[in-house]
Amino acid sequence: MCYVPRDSSSHQSSPLQSSMSSAIIGAPSLSANSETIWMGSQTGKLMIHPTSNEMAHKVMEVINFAGPITCIEYYKNQVFIAVEGNVYIYKRPKDSAWDLDNPVAFRIHDGDDPINCMCQVQQKLWLGAGNRCYVFNMASSRREVYRAG
């Protein structure tokens, strides 16, 4: 689970246009002004909820993955989703809605152990899988460091 703040540089709402995800009828729109909670499940469902008390029970978006979602991390208009040995990056362009149709996917490791923890420090994303630690540079989108445990 991860809290995702509104885009602080945003000045107006934009409607979400997404064919990959299924919009839920009666839910608020997912715009640059939306504060949300992103929740992942063991069945591979990513559910995006609004933070407002009146609408918190509504799901704004649901995206299905092939494996369990083990970690979610937010950093500067990007959400990182760990699914097995992969990381999917969703981006929110400045003053715009989330681009849920075009995540960028990276294979972090080929082991049997899923990524079970993520921590963002400055522009680095630290990931743990089994007894291994990986460091992913978010600015260059490259894996920089591998440390055996």
Side-chain angles (χ1 to χ4, degrees):
M1 181 182 326
C2 183
Y3 167 72
V4 177
R6 70 176 46 103
D7 182 355
S8 60
S9 64
S10 176
H11 301 291
Q12 61 183 351
S13 296
S14 302
L16 174 72
Q17 296 179 359
S18 176
S19 59
M20 179 180 141
S21 59
S22 57
I24 307 301
I25 296 173
S29 67
L30 185 59
S31 70
N33 285 330
S34 299
E35 288 183 328
T36 54
I37 300 290
W38 294 44
M39 299 173 66
S41 75
Q42 290 295 314
T43 60
K45 285 189 190 292
L46 175 66
M47 295 160 284
I48 303 173
H49 292 267
T51 59
S52 69
N53 287 340
E54 311 81 49
M55 300 299 284
H57 65 284
K58 301 249 184 198
V59 177
M60 297 168 79
E61 294 292 326
V62 176
I63 300 170
N64 293 302
F65 287 89
I69 297 170
T70 54
C71 300
I72 304 173
E73 187 75 25
Y74 169 81
Y75 178 74
K76 289 189 177 181
N77 290 323
Q78 300 178 91
V79 175
F80 299 83
I81 310 288
V83 179
E84 296 174 339
N86 300 305
V87 171
Y88 296 86
I89 305 170
Y90 288 92
K91 297 182 179 189
R92 176 174 52 195
K94 186 177 179 181
D95 292 332
S96 187
W98 285 97
D99 182 2
L100 299 179
D101 289 333
N102 302 300
V104 178
F106 290 97
R107 184 79 180 152
I108 299 297
H109 80 102
D110 293 319
D112 291 333
D113 296 314
I115 296 167
N116 55 19
C117 58
M118 287 194 298
C119 179
Q120 173 266 316
V121 179
Q122 296 174 351
Q123 290 191 342
K124 311 281 182 171
L125 187 65
W126 289 71
L127 305 107
N131 66 348
R132 290 174 235 112
C133 180
Y134 302 91
V135 178
F136 182 77
N137 185 319
M138 294 183 282
S140 67
S141 298
R142 300 187 72 194
R143 186 176 78 182
E144 287 187 343
V145 178
Y146 162 79
R147 297 192 197 285

